Amino acid sequence: MENRKYWLGFSLIADIGPKRILQLREAAGDLRAAWHATQTDLQRAGIPEQLAAHIVASRPSIDLNREMQRIARVDAHLLTMDDVDYPPLLAELDEKPATLYVRGKLLPQDKRAVCVVGTRRATVYGKDAAYALSKELAANGVTIISGLAQGVDSAAHRGALDGGGRTIGVMANGISEVYPAENLELAREIITQGAVITEMPIGTPPIGQNFPRRNRILSGMSLGVLVVEGGIRSGALITANFAAEQGRDVFAVPSNIFNKEGRGTNRLIQDGAQLVMDVQDVLDAIDMTYTVRETRVQTEQVAPADDTETTLLNLLSNDPIHVDDLVRLSGLPVATVSSTLTLMELKGLARTVGYMQYALPR
């Protein structure tokens, strides 16, 4: 708790992101020392003079204990990048939030998640598609992430709840209020089967500039983004763009060509998004992505013994590769490659797939 409040304090200072906080912690030894450091100490830690002065000037206005109490009063808790339940997919991003305000619980199974987004002005078709796909995904153990807005978002959350699965609402405002207010009861239900989260400090209103920041969290917590219905300039397409930049899968439900609120999804399909006709289209793609990610995590838990193992591990994937290709790509002698692969297989870092072909373990 002591460490957490200093994470909170630095996150409340403008222009201080997670990289700066980690830099301060490394230089000072811990965040408590960094919080109480003088301007001179901050500059010695590599903080530019103007920013160091800004930190020192901002601290007196932040009552850390009071801020922690405000969070507790609304039945929320704070997650930091140090916490084990900080979303692991989100942690991969360069622009991840330093802290998250949470009502409800984030669980390990939320790694297998799909973000479902779309227009607030959804048609009956759009809401039906969002509901049905989310319900089936949730019934198959997929956590549904959306933005708690009206239209497609609400239908997606409702589908997940009715499917008996988990769902997470990501807001662009402070955790103490639900926006829009009409979704207050929906938010309460979401908290019982998942969580409502935000990176915005308590009291932050849902102003326009906050929504793109929120959208990067929507995609960042997910294996893929499913856009159900959205115009050419809609926020849903911003989320899809974030997903593409973050290396996530992008899916789109085709729309009526006469529906302007669906032109964005049709354009996504033109640009290479995966067309979704039923839930299996999504499940097949994300399960493959999930398997690759989990395999990487498992293999990384067994540290390579040396640079040779590291080189070969980086060349392996789920697709079989011949020893001759590994020799060519690594530049290592064939005897070294062969003997190292044998040891890696014994350690569970590689597996044989046919004659002289290797891949990552399942």
Side-chain angles (χ1 to χ4, degrees):
M1 289 294 291
E2 185 74 9
N3 187 55
R4 190 169 285 126
K5 74 179 183 181
Y6 294 113
W7 272 102
L8 174 61
F10 280 117
S11 74
L12 293 173
I13 298 176
D15 301 320
I16 299 291
K19 290 181 181 178
R20 287 290 190 197
I21 296 175
L22 294 175
Q23 178 187 359
L24 287 164
R25 182 173 67 179
E26 183 177 354
D30 60 57
L31 284 180
R32 183 182 184 281
W35 182 258
H36 295 288
T38 65
Q39 180 176 338
T40 302
D41 290 337
L42 292 172
Q43 289 179 228
R44 284 177 183 156
I47 304 300
E49 180 180 356
Q50 188 173 356
L51 183 55
H54 172 57
I55 293 172
V56 172
S58 300
R59 287 186 312 212
S61 65
I62 301 172
D63 185 329
L64 298 181
N65 292 326
R66 175 176 171 272
E67 291 300 327
M68 293 298 290
Q69 289 166 5
R70 291 177 72 194
I71 296 170
R73 275 200 297 269
V74 296
D75 197 26
H77 63 278
L78 191 76
L79 276 184
T80 77
M81 289 163 48
D82 281 343
D83 291 312
V84 294
D85 44 354
Y86 187 94
L89 291 177
L90 194 61
E92 297 175 1
L93 305 185
D94 289 335
E95 296 302 319
K96 53 186 164 288
T99 57
L100 290 170
Y101 300 78
V102 182
R103 293 181 67 194
K105 290 183 179 179
L106 299 180
L107 299 178
Q109 58 259 45
D110 295 329
K111 290 188 293 184
R112 189 166 177 259
V114 168
C115 170
V116 181
V117 289
T119 179
R120 292 173 174 82
R121 298 177 294 275
T123 63
V124 171
Y125 163 76
K127 287 186 278 191
D128 285 350
Y131 175 88
L133 289 167
S134 298
K135 184 177 180 179
E136 289 189 69
L137 286 167
N140 280 275
V142 177
T143 296
I144 300 300
I145 298 175
S146 197
L148 203 57
Q150 293 175 309
V152 166
D153 290 15
S154 295
H157 288 304
R158 175 57 59 194
L161 292 169
D162 291 350
R166 289 182 54 76
T167 183
I168 297 169
V170 185
M171 300 195 300
N173 53 280
I175 197 71
S176 59
E177 304 292 333
V178 172
Y179 177 82
E182 303 92 284
N183 278 350
L184 179 59
E185 184 55 38
L186 177 61
R188 288 173 178 160
E189 292 184 58
I190 290 171
I191 290 167
T192 67
Q193 284 181 223
V196 171
I197 72 171
T198 182
E199 72 170 318
M200 301 297 168
I202 287 180
T204 304
I207 55 179
Q209 66 193 47
N210 293 343
F211 285 90
R213 290 186 57 78
R214 184 277 306 271
N215 292 351
R216 89 190 192 288
I217 297 176
L218 287 170
S219 55
M221 290 182 66
S222 311
L223 294 168
V225 169
L226 171 59
V227 183
V228 175
E229 202 170 49
I232 292 292
R233 301 184 185 279
S234 68
L237 264 68
I238 294 175
T239 307
N241 289 335
F242 275 126
E245 291 170 4
Q246 294 163 354
R248 308 309 196 232
D249 290 322
V250 179
F251 308 95
V253 175
S255 289
N256 184 328
I257 64 171
F258 300 108
N259 171 25
K260 68 177 182 179
E261 293 299 337
R263 289 177 185 170
T265 51
N266 289 343
R267 178 62 57 82
L268 284 174
I269 293 167
Q270 278 188 328
D271 292 342
Q274 299 180 59
L275 186 152
V276 171
M277 294 180 64
D278 58 43
V279 72
Q280 201 61 46
D281 294 331
V282 181
L283 286 172
D284 288 344
I286 68 158
D287 281 345
M288 182 177 295
T289 301
Y290 183 75
T291 300
V292 170
R293 286 180 176 275
E294 288 301 288
T295 299
R296 282 290 183 189
V297 170
Q298 291 165 12
T299 55
E300 286 165 3
Q301 289 173 350
V302 180
D306 50 35
D307 291 342
T308 301
E309 285 193 4
T310 300
T311 298
L312 294 177
L313 184 61
N314 289 333
L315 291 172
L316 294 177
S317 69
N318 275 4
D319 296 322
I321 182 171
H322 197 276
V323 168
D324 290 347
D325 292 323
L326 289 171
V327 169
R328 177 176 55 82
L329 293 169
S330 67
L332 296 167
V334 63
T336 301
V337 171
S338 296
S339 61
T340 302
L341 285 170
T342 300
L343 290 173
M344 289 174 67
E345 191 172 8
L346 291 172
K347 293 167 64 175
L349 289 171
R351 63 187 168 102
T352 305
V353 187
Y355 180 67
M356 296 187 71
Q357 295 192 81
Y358 286 83
L360 288 173
R362 285 192 179 91

